[in-house]
Amino acid sequence: MAKRIDGKAISQMVKDELRDRVKKEKIEATLAVIQVGSDPASTVYVGNKKKACEYIGIRSLAFELPEETKEEELLDLVRELNDREDVDGILVQLPLPAHMDEDKVIQTISPKKDVDGFHPQSVGALSIGQPGFVSCTPAGVIQLLKRSGVEIEGKECVIVGRSNIVGKPMALLMLRENATVTVCHSRTKDLKEVTRRADILIVAIGKPRFITKEYVKEGAVVIDVGIHRGADNKLCGDVDFDEVEPVASAITPVPGGVGPMTIAMLMNNCVEAKGLQ
Ligand code: GUN
């Protein structure tokens, strides 16, 4: 039976360390969170971010804009927050309404305040090993692995999914940790053959329970970044947990695996942002 990697407990550990640091070093950081429209999932995420800020001792400012806000108005708000000395981090909750260009909005955020790590400058810095903000979910996966005692150096790591937010930065981070990295995607030929090489298999494809036991080598560490609500109203990941758990040596559950780490790493980025102003 695989060891379960407890993201809830590890994220709590990260948040407690941050809370102690904020208190000890008297760090006064402020995060500005912008939500456009009232997508229910986004409202839950934004609420969770606000709660985490309160827990750690980070001030949070909420900007709730109506769905029909013009792109230029949003860009003006971002520019204003870029200039405000009392704001250290800026997060624009995604997805944005269809009439807005997400790339343009992300590129307007100052890289010094880009706590999501989505700005091209942040991604570029990561790719050449320079300091900068790292996208929170992949950064959280690295923390899960390290704090669970999984050795990364020299291991075969296969990532399924090549999104800008997870797959690509995940590959860069695993490379930085000296893993041998393969990135697979929807056009990969014989996906099973590739994923079965993995010592560490990281799955972020957005397809419920897609990864079954045939995709997994005996003893692999399996990290599931997906989250879906099934027809039975239960949450599940991209990995068929019940099938894969007996094959893996360690596995993240959904919920309670990668999910809670994303917010913990966002909080870490907010504390780091303070030092950059
Ligand atoms: N929407 C879903 N996840 C995220 C995230 O990590 N950051 C932002 N800005 N929007 C999201």
Side-chain angles (χ1 to χ4, degrees):
M1 209 52 139
K3 169 185 161 179
R4 285 192 195 197
I5 299 178
D6 186 346
K8 234 176 131 181
I10 296 173
S11 70
Q12 192 58 47
M13 217 186 286
V14 172
K15 285 193 284 187
D16 285 342
E17 287 168 13
L18 286 169
R19 187 158 89 150
D20 291 348
R21 184 174 155 205
V22 163
K23 198 169 167 198
K24 196 167 153 214
E25 297 176 25
K26 298 187 172 59
I27 297 170
E28 289 182 2
T30 299
L31 171 66
V33 180
I34 305 173
Q35 184 182 354
V36 186
S38 50
D39 171 63
S42 290
T43 304
V44 172
Y45 289 138
V46 166
N48 289 341
K49 287 167 190 178
K50 197 174 156 205
K51 265 190 245 160
C53 282
E54 272 167 30
Y55 182 78
I56 287 160
I58 294 170
R59 186 171 70 126
S60 69
L61 304 175
F63 296 86
E64 289 159 20
L65 307 183
E67 181 89 18
E68 60 276 10
T69 302
K70 291 202 172 64
E71 185 185 84
E72 199 50 43
E73 286 174 65
L74 173 61
L75 295 176
D76 281 342
L77 174 59
V78 171
R79 291 186 197 108
E80 182 192 318
L81 294 169
N82 283 342
D83 291 340
R84 270 178 65 167
E85 283 184 10
D86 66 329
V87 170
D88 305 290
I90 302 169
L91 183 146
V92 180
Q93 187 66 26
L94 303 178
L96 287 169
H99 66 278
M100 290 186 177
D101 179 346
E102 282 185 358
D103 288 339
K104 197 167 166 190
V105 175
I106 288 167
Q107 284 173 36
T108 304
I109 298 172
S110 163
K112 282 187 175 175
K113 301 189 180 187
D114 174 36
V115 286
D116 259 328
F118 294 166
H119 191 286
Q121 188 173 313
S122 306
V123 181
L126 174 62
S127 72
I128 57 172
Q130 287 187 356
F133 289 112
V134 177
S135 180
C136 302
T137 300
V141 170
I142 297 288
Q143 285 301 311
L144 277 183
L145 292 170
K146 286 190 171 174
R147 289 173 188 252
S148 309
V150 175
E151 197 176 328
I152 304 174
E153 183 159 314
K155 295 291 167 64
E156 287 283 344
C157 172
V158 176
I159 298 161
V160 190
R162 56 173 159 179
S163 69
N164 291 340
I165 290 177
V166 182
K168 283 179 200 157
M170 192 73 249
L172 292 167
L173 283 175
M174 291 304 275
L175 206 50
R176 191 163 86 177
E177 298 295 332
N178 299 318
T180 302
V181 180
T182 306
V183 182
C184 304
H185 45 80
S186 55
R187 308 286 170 87
T188 298
K189 287 205 181 101
D190 202 353
L191 181 62
K192 278 182 199 163
E193 189 272 320
V194 184
T195 57
R196 285 178 67 90
R197 292 184 216 150
D199 301 312
I200 302 171
L201 178 62
I202 303 176
V203 189
I205 41 170
K207 291 184 186 162
R209 297 194 183 102
F210 181 87
I211 298 290
T212 50
K213 63 177 188 300
E214 297 79 24
Y215 288 81
V216 183
K217 177 170 80 176
E218 182 85 37
V221 174
V222 180
I223 305 290
D224 188 351
V225 182
I227 186 152
H228 314 273
R229 195 168 288 280
D232 53 2
N233 212 33
K234 277 192 188 154
L235 292 173
C236 71
D238 290 349
V239 175
D240 187 327
F241 186 90
D242 294 339
E243 260 206 19
V244 172
E245 191 192 23
V247 181
S249 64
I251 185 166
T252 58
V254 177
V258 174
M261 293 303 293
T262 300
I263 288 192
M265 300 319 291
L266 173 69
M267 297 298 108
N268 179 67
N269 283 353
C270 292
V271 172
E272 294 292 324
K274 181 68 198 179
L276 300 178
Q277 309 313 319

